[in-house]
Amino acid sequence: MALINLPDPEQLASRILRGVREAVASGLNLLDNRLADARSRSARLLASLSGERQMNEGHLVGVTGPPGAGKSSLVSAMIREWRFSGRTVGVLAVDPSSRPELGGGALLGDRIRIKNSSYDEGLFIRSLANRNQMGGVSSEVWPMSWLMLSCFDVVVVETVGVGQTEIDIAEIGDTVCYVAQPASGDTIQYLKSGIIQIPDIFAVNKCDLGAPARKTAAEISRSAPRQDRREDWDYPVCLVSATMNTGIKQLNDQIDRHRSFLVGAGSLGNLRTRHHSAWVMRLLKEEFGTFGLELAGGSATISQRLGEHRSCQFEEYERIRTQILSRFKSDNSSSSITKKEHPNEQAVV
Ligand SMILES: Nc1nc2c(ncn2[C@@H]2O[C@H](COP(=O)(O)OP(=O)(O)O)[C@@H](O)[C@H]2O)c(=O)[nH]1
Ligand SMILES: [Mg+2]
């Protein structure tokens, strides 16, 4: 493959912070690039983007639910509402059914283009095929959402809710909204499984269908397991219709209310820090494996280091990476560990 000039991370970060669209696109491409040089530049980019803003500002909203529930349609309707109120919106659509080569549903971007005919500077959509780690959200999605949070008021991550995904999305969003399909057993089964953290907000879509939607909403209200509930939050169930544009403003209001709830409880920053640590750990594990984590003192030590660097975890991430890489190199030159044992170097070959 021909060599591609990779951007200077610090320069790129300053352009992203000014909301330059080309810079946002190029930053997302960098985060999506698995080669060694790109990975270290990604860490520098994220370190440059980290700051107070990402601890306290913006809103990361996870939208999940079964295929066909109307997530993309609903996100599209929600975007119109947000844009109407002057907020800028970034979207990451992680939806395998959106992959045109699979003949799946229309890309979210296409829906938006159909509905909002004029080009909109305040809206940025990136569709990602699900790179499918056992049904989970692939590891680059979180850094991508973090990048978008540095320059958009609202960042939406749309994922299909199957198995592992709900757990992953709960580790991305400040607020998680579950979109339910009326008259489908999926949601109730999902709630009764009890293994997953319940979403903050439920949206029963397709309320234009009438009774089945109302029945599903009532079932959800009854079934949400009470023991998992956080105090003081009421887990609203909203009846909406993406196609008829019904209840969208009310849903967005509930999403705002959840953010205010987190801010009021002083927990938005803590929540993001927790999510941050979980994903940095995941990125390290993915790049270096458990053996690599041991070279940096093991996961407990790493967690502690990340906890001590709350507002600049990416810089700490980069330091830990460098440390692991140099340990790999020194072990490599002095002992039996072969170069091939560093997964990243294999990737570069
Ligand atoms: N009747 C009705 N159909 C809807 C509504 N929202 C979405 N749909 C339809 O449901 C199907 C799946 O929608 P889509 O947004 O692609 O679902 P996703 O897979 O969850 O993203 C499409 O045929 C939509 O037109 C709604 O509010 N009412
Ligand atoms: Mg979709």
Side-chain angles (χ1 to χ4, degrees), residues 162-210:
V162 278
Q164 180 66 34
T165 317
E166 288 92 351
I167 303 169
D168 292 338
I169 199 72
E171 281 183 354
I172 292 182
D174 305 325
T175 300
V176 177
C177 174
Y178 182 96
V179 183
Q181 164 83 25
S184 139
D186 292 356
T187 308
I188 306 303
Q189 229 177 346
Y190 160 85
L191 287 171
K192 286 189 172 156
S193 72
I195 50 161
I196 29 169
Q197 193 184 342
I198 43 173
D200 306 297
I201 294 165
F202 292 90
V204 179
N205 190 29
K206 311 189 185 183
C207 74
D208 50 291
L209 299 178

Side-chain angles (χ1 to χ4, degrees), residues 64-75 95 97-98 105-106 108 111 115 158-160 179 181 204-209 240-246 248:
T64 190
K71 298 178 295 300
S72 299
S73 312
L74 189 57
V75 167
D95 185 348
S97 69
S98 292
L108 177 67
R111 288 186 195 282
K115 287 178 177 162
E158 179 198 333
T159 59
V160 179
V179 183
Q181 164 83 25
V204 179
N205 190 29
K206 311 189 185 183
C207 74
D208 50 291
L209 299 178
V240 296
S241 167
T243 48
M244 306 299 283
N245 213 30
T246 313
I248 310 298

Side-chain angles (χ1 to χ4, degrees), residues 113-140:
R113 273 193 288 278
I114 291 163
K115 287 178 177 162
N116 303 355
S117 53
S118 60
Y119 181 74
D120 183 353
E121 268 291 329
L123 174 63
F124 187 100
I125 297 170
R126 170 63 72 97
S127 279
L128 296 170
N130 191 349
R131 287 122 210 238
N132 211 335
Q133 302 176 329
M134 311 290 285
V137 178
S138 52
S139 54
E140 63 276 14

Side-chain angles (χ1 to χ4, degrees), residues 97 107 161 174 196 230 243 253 269 273 279 295 319 325 337 345 348:
S97 69
L107 285 164
D174 305 325
I196 29 169
R230 275 158 283 156
T243 48
D253 286 347
T273 307
W279 280 81
L295 290 179
R319 276 193 286 271
L325 280 168
I337 299 168
E345 311 234 285
V348 183

Side-chain angles (χ1 to χ4, degrees), residues 213-229:
R214 288 194 299 276
K215 184 161 174 269
T216 299
E219 279 172 352
I220 291 173
S221 303
R222 276 200 304 276
S223 305
R226 297 196 173 264
Q227 69 275 17
D228 285 356
R229 292 186 169 222

